[in-house]
Amino acid sequence: MTTTDVAAALAQARAQHERYLDGFKTFLRIPSISTDPAYQAEIERAARWLVQEMERIGLEHCRIIPTAGHPVVYGDWLHAGADRPTVLIYAHYDVQPVDPRELWHSDPFEPVEREGKLFARGAIDDKVGVFVNLKALEAILSATGRLPVNVKLLFEGEEEMGSPHMTDFVREQRELLAADLLLISDGGSEPDQPVIDTALRGIVAAEVTVSGPSHDLHSGTYGGIVHNPAHLVGRIIAALHDANGRVAIPGFYDDVAPLSAVERELLAAQEAAMRETLQQQAGVRAFWGPAEATLLERATALPTCDVNGLYGGYAGPGGKTIIPARAGFKVSMRLVPNQDPQRIAEQFSAFVRQFATETLDVEVQILALGWWARLLTEGRAVEALKRAYVATWGKAPALHREGGSIPVMGAIQRELGLPMTTLGHGIGRNVHAPNEFLYLEYFGRGIATTIHFLYNLAELADGRTVI
């Protein structure tokens, strides 16, 4: 590494800032919603757009790789040398649905700048993770003609669905994805504090459907004699937790790994500051959950079970006196070491199906399974990240457990055994909600941080060893 190369790449990024930002807005205009089949063409358009952008930058082997679901986008640059580390950079180009659309202050797919913020769906989750990495690589290649390390790019198109086909993809593409480090560019930091994640939870997502009569019925004629599917949905949901907030599914906690003394101390040290931050962001009067665990233990180190949506009958203006033919709900469960997603899915399914009666059928569909992951807490890659944050933020990053899930991380860790760390660029608010926004100052800062990290890693790595 030379300081001249770093300075040249940073200067290039600054000079091209407005062009880079315009490109980001173009990317954000593609409504790549992965969960809704109506947007399949837009997912494919986003993938094609990325391949064209990667080829323009100067990356190689850029292509769309089909899966049983949405396509993966891949590209690489592997000319740093066989004795240099290879970094596999992951982010996802799919986004969440925008509902309820009426709560957005502007079109979710027409990026708008207001008061130092960029509003659009995907602005922080996770198109920024895709695009900031591309611009960092573009700045380096434009300024110096070569990257300091070997790079592979893996951009997923179904993370917001729970990555249902990525485990198979990883197994099938072992050779293509071989690397010395996995860098996850999903998530982000707080505006005043950079963060490196040390653990993420796994996930099981499911949908429960309760079916009764062949069609909606008049509640005056059939009320009291036909079992209402919506009533049973209410019973099932109420039974998922006990009065103290613990998940009541038998065996749910059997395999939960206890926290180490060091992990407990780290969470305890962060408790007060994170409580204030989380309460402010959530807009709640008080938190909820089992009292035997601290707030951060419940938020990051214990498993959860949450209803994400429910349906059944009429929900429009005014009343409609019916007994619905069907009702249901969607649920997500966040898992921790050493829980097995398949086993949890089976326990959940068995628990829910026991509510079926001779009058109502209960069906469970498992939508996604994802393993938890442990990340690096020390070593060369973490030191490279720390130095990058100090250079661009002026302060060292904090080490945090993360309550969310990035299913591909668990798949790659289990299938490929790669060490992994995070460099997330989604610094803003309203993730998965209306009026998602990115703090604009962190767009350029994210590019600079990535440039510093890649050069730092080249300097600190012992050959290809990054841990």
Side-chain angles (χ1 to χ4, degrees), residues 84-87 149 179-182 376 378-384 418-421 453 457-458 460-467:
R84 294 283 79 198
T86 297
V87 181
V149 295
D180 302 299
L181 177 72
L182 174 65
L376 296 173
E378 58 185 3
R380 294 176 175 86
V382 172
E383 180 60 27
L418 295 187
M420 57 185 67
T421 190
F453 169 71
L457 187 65
L460 294 173
D462 181 7
R464 293 175 50 187
T465 302
V466 297
I467 57 177

Side-chain angles (χ1 to χ4, degrees), residues 295-423:
L295 176 71
L296 285 190
E297 288 173 0
R298 299 198 305 271
T300 67
L302 286 177
T304 67
C305 178
D306 285 291
V307 173
N308 311 130
L310 59 154
Y311 57 89
Y314 179 71
K320 186 179 182 183
T321 52
I322 61 165
I323 295 172
R326 288 159 47 97
F329 64 96
K330 298 178 186 287
V331 64
S332 61
M333 290 160 275
R334 305 289 177 163
L335 312 183
V336 299
N338 292 316
Q339 290 180 298
D340 182 330
Q342 184 61 49
R343 183 180 182 197
I344 293 297
E346 292 168 357
Q347 291 171 339
F348 173 79
S349 298
F351 178 75
V352 169
R353 289 190 179 113
Q354 71 177 342
F355 286 88
T357 69
E358 63 178 356
T359 54
L360 293 174
D361 295 326
V362 177
E363 177 187 354
V364 181
Q365 180 184 8
I366 301 301
L367 304 176
L369 301 174
W371 285 87
W372 43 270
R374 295 186 186 274
L375 290 79
L376 296 173
T377 58
E378 58 185 3
R380 294 176 175 86
V382 172
E383 180 60 27
L385 265 179
K386 289 180 177 178
R387 293 186 186 183
Y389 277 124
V390 169
T392 56
W393 290 58
K395 62 168 60 176
L399 298 179
H400 278 188
R401 291 183 69 100
E402 173 59 52
S405 308
I406 304 175
V408 74
M409 292 178 66
I412 289 177
Q413 188 165 72
R414 293 180 67 82
E415 298 296 330
L416 305 183
L418 295 187
M420 57 185 67
T421 190
T422 59
L423 177 50

